[in-house]
Amino acid sequence: MSKDISGSNHTPTAGRPDFATAVLAPIRAIVGDRGLITDPDTMQPFMESWRDGWVGRSPAVVLPDSTEALAAVVRICAETRTPIVPQGGNTGLTGASQPHADGTEIVLSTNRLNRIREIDIDNDTMTVEAGCILANIQNAARDIGRLFPMSLAAEGSCQIGGNIATNAGGVQVVRYGNMRNLVAGLEVVLPDGRIWDGLRGLRKDNAGYDMKQIFIGSEGTLGIVTAAVLKLSPLPRATATALVAVSAPSDAVDLLTRAKGVAGDRIITFELIQRDCIDVARRHVPDVPDPLRDRYPWYVLVELADQDGGNRLMEMLEGILEAGMEAGEVLDGVVAASKAQADSLWRIREGIPEGQKREGVSFKHDVSVPISRVARFLDRANAALERECPGIRPFAFGHLGDGNIHFNPIQAEGGDPAEWKAKLATVNAIVHDIVVELGGSISAEHGIGRLRIDEMPRYKSAVELDMMATLKRAFDPHNIMNPGKILRA
């Protein structure tokens, strides 16, 4: 089902008699033929999302190859009141990087801003342009004996500018934090076309407001990130990985507390997985293993990393799990004896999203609550949904180490997909009401985009919404920068 919500509140650009001469011609003069696409077929991959059916229309896709060229394009758009949709790798999940269906917005892609500008080993920083692929940044860091720890499923195609714009999370937030924690400085093109050079590789800088934080997580609504100074970490010399079975999420939380008391910040991953998720992954995705002989209701994928080589880390992990078993937290488990075995365990976690995509209608919720309330959230949400939607199948997995759960219940087996799709608003309200009652957030790492924009007034206070709207008006008074995302105009 495609979603083509209109809502940019601008006069259609392609239909304006002066659009070709006032907008496209000067843009072409800046970026050249290679940097301007107007053919509908060639533009189509930029118009639609890879998942969930977000699709729109645009008169042009613009691909500048430098910050200066991008800024010049933005100045033309500001002068002509032409709205802009910034786009990176187009791997987002909330419709934030697709244009609306009314054809009023140009898409401004960072694909050609793909250079690594500088690596400062002594400062443990790397300066990169917004269009750099995340996996390429990881590899460049690894080549110099460093780690850039942002790690997520789309790392082979997502771009760092998009990661910054959405304040991306991933599977190692428990140790390294989300994108906000990994950025030392930014370069940003503002909605009027000015360039803010904040590319400072500093750990301490109290000279006024920390402006970079305003743009991280702003989803391209306040400006376009064109480059960033990223923080690097030492490359771990050893890892230890295990998959263990637990009877309930509360036991997984107890095990996490135990592990933190022993391993501290050596814990880089602590993922909670419901049994149904493994079954779905194995049903639809090749080579997903089932490493334990017996079936259990819940599992934890845990990984430790350290600079100390040898067997010390493995012994530490085994000691944590043995103590957990004695305390009744752990029912069974397997510790990877090699990298190949560790990769096999990771295939379970990595196969879940793809498996779910093929299973039927699902109701996706990227939510977070305090870690101490994760078990309560799961119990309450599953019970409430079963009362309201009998037969709905619980489906939960995610980053227990930071309180972020992907709570994605699936339609009843054999149910009519159309009937289940009609329940979306009801299911969302039930889940999100419980999340907020427990002190949580309706978007942990994916952002708001268009997906959750109409839920913001229900879950954000009037004061908070007013602060956000005031900030938007201050930076973008003409509402040309990704309009209709996060906030309604």
Side-chain angles (χ1 to χ4, degrees):
M1 179 178 66
S2 64
K3 304 173 185 177
D4 58 354
I5 301 170
S6 300
S8 57
N9 294 328
H10 285 268
T11 302
T13 50
R16 283 170 19 196
D18 64 336
F19 182 71
T21 55
V23 181
L24 291 187
I27 287 178
R28 188 184 299 275
I30 293 165
V31 300
D33 291 340
R34 184 182 174 195
L36 182 64
I37 304 172
T38 57
D39 174 67
D41 291 338
T42 309
M43 288 196 296
Q44 193 56 37
F46 298 88
M47 300 297 110
E48 55 192 28
S49 62
W50 72 277
R51 195 188 83 175
D52 295 339
W54 297 105
V55 61
R57 293 188 302 114
S58 174
V61 176
V62 184
L63 301 96
D65 64 355
S66 70
T67 297
E68 292 72 22
L70 190 148
V73 170
V74 172
R75 282 195 293 274
I76 291 169
C77 293
E79 292 166 0
T80 59
R81 303 293 190 264
T82 302
I84 299 166
V85 178
Q87 189 179 102
N90 201 15
T91 59
L93 300 171
T94 66
S97 58
Q98 287 76 45
H100 292 88
D102 54 14
T104 64
E105 305 149 316
I106 67 164
V107 172
L108 209 165
S109 169
T110 57
N111 280 359
R112 297 173 70 195
L113 296 174
N114 55 16
R115 291 170 285 270
I116 295 177
R117 294 185 184 175
E118 181 186 29
I119 297 176
D120 187 338
I121 296 178
D122 292 335
N123 197 43
D124 281 325
T125 55
M126 180 188 300
T127 303
V128 302
E129 294 183 343
C132 287
I133 301 297
L134 176 56
N136 294 341
I137 294 171
Q138 294 168 340
N139 291 335
R142 193 173 296 112
D143 288 343
I144 60 167
R146 298 293 188 270
L147 173 74
F148 183 65
M150 177 58 59
S151 179
L152 39 82
E155 61 194 29
S157 54
C158 66
Q159 296 177 9
I160 197 66
N163 299 148
I164 293 167
T166 56
N167 188 29
V171 298
Q172 297 189 145
V173 172
V174 62
R175 166 62 180 88
Y176 298 103
N178 54 19
M179 198 69 232
R180 193 177 298 281
N181 303 97
L182 302 176
V183 173
L186 290 180
E187 177 185 83
V188 180
V189 173
L190 302 178
D192 60 6
R194 290 180 296 164
I195 300 171
W196 172 56
D197 183 357
L199 293 174
R200 295 184 283 270
L202 303 175
R203 268 70 177 180
K204 288 185 174 182
D205 182 2
N206 276 349
Y209 301 128
D210 190 355
M211 298 303 296
K212 67 178 180 292
Q213 298 297 348
I214 293 174
F215 298 101
I216 300 172
S218 67
E219 301 183 36
T221 62
L222 303 178
I224 302 175
V225 173
T226 52
V229 181
L230 305 177
K231 300 176 186 177
L232 306 179
S233 295
L235 186 67
R237 296 177 58 200
T239 59
T241 309
L243 181 78
V244 300
V246 297
S247 62
S250 57
D251 291 321
V253 172
D254 290 343
L255 181 63
L256 173 61
T257 301
R258 179 183 302 280
K260 288 190 289 189
V262 176
D265 63 6
R266 296 178 184 86
I267 304 169
I268 61 169
T269 298
F270 204 95
E271 299 284 295
L272 180 67
I273 304 172
Q274 192 171 3
R275 176 68 215 190
D276 301 273
C277 301
I278 297 178
D279 292 339
V280 166
R282 285 174 52 77
R283 185 152 53 242
H284 298 290
V285 181
D287 301 321
V288 174
D290 194 0
L292 302 182
R293 182 177 58 187
D294 297 323
R295 293 169 57 88
Y296 298 94
W298 293 90
Y299 299 79
V300 170
L301 178 65
V302 57
E303 188 162 273
L304 309 184
D306 200 357
Q307 305 310 113
D308 188 8
N311 297 322
R312 181 169 174 266
L313 200 65
M314 185 71 73
E315 293 169 356
M316 180 181 294
L317 179 58
E318 291 173 345
I320 292 168
L321 300 182
E322 288 171 4
M325 189 167 288
E326 291 176 3
E329 299 156 0
V330 175
L331 303 176
D332 196 0
V334 57
V335 178
S338 65
K339 184 180 184 303
Q341 289 183 11
D343 291 344
S344 179
L345 297 180
W346 270 104
R347 273 198 294 275
I348 298 171
R349 172 62 178 85
E350 292 164 352
I352 292 171
E354 182 61 29
Q356 181 183 5
K357 187 177 177 182
R358 304 179 186 181
E359 183 69 10
V361 175
S362 61
F363 305 91
K364 300 177 182 67
H365 305 93
D366 164 47
V367 299
S368 61
V369 296
I371 295 169
S372 57
R373 299 174 187 173
V374 167
R376 202 184 324 168
F377 160 68
L378 291 168
D379 288 343
R380 286 185 57 185
N382 283 325
L385 288 180
E386 178 57 32
R387 287 193 300 269
E388 184 67 29
C389 306
I392 195 168
R393 288 180 283 167
F395 195 93
F397 64 99
H399 321 303
L400 180 61
D402 57 48
N404 176 195
I405 299 297
H406 299 298
F407 185 79
N408 301 344
I410 301 175
Q411 69 169 76
E413 289 188 84
D416 180 356
E419 291 181 5
W420 280 93
K421 286 178 182 178
K423 300 177 187 290
L424 177 62
T426 298
V427 172
N428 285 349
I430 290 171
V431 173
H432 289 157
D433 283 355
I434 293 171
V435 165
V436 174
E437 286 173 17
L438 293 173
S441 170
I442 66 170
S443 179
E445 61 181 2
H446 293 166
I448 295 297
R450 282 187 278 168
L451 179 66
R452 303 297 181 203
I453 189 170
D454 291 325
E455 297 179 73
M456 291 286 275
R458 182 180 178 95
Y459 299 114
K460 290 287 188 182
S461 71
V463 171
E464 192 165 358
L465 288 172
D466 184 60
M467 289 193 295
M468 295 169 68
T470 300
L471 191 64
K472 171 69 170 174
R473 287 192 299 269
F475 277 88
D476 186 19
H478 301 297
N479 193 32
I480 69 165
M481 196 62 70
N482 217 9
K485 316 293 172 62
I486 299 183
L487 297 171
R488 294 288 183 198

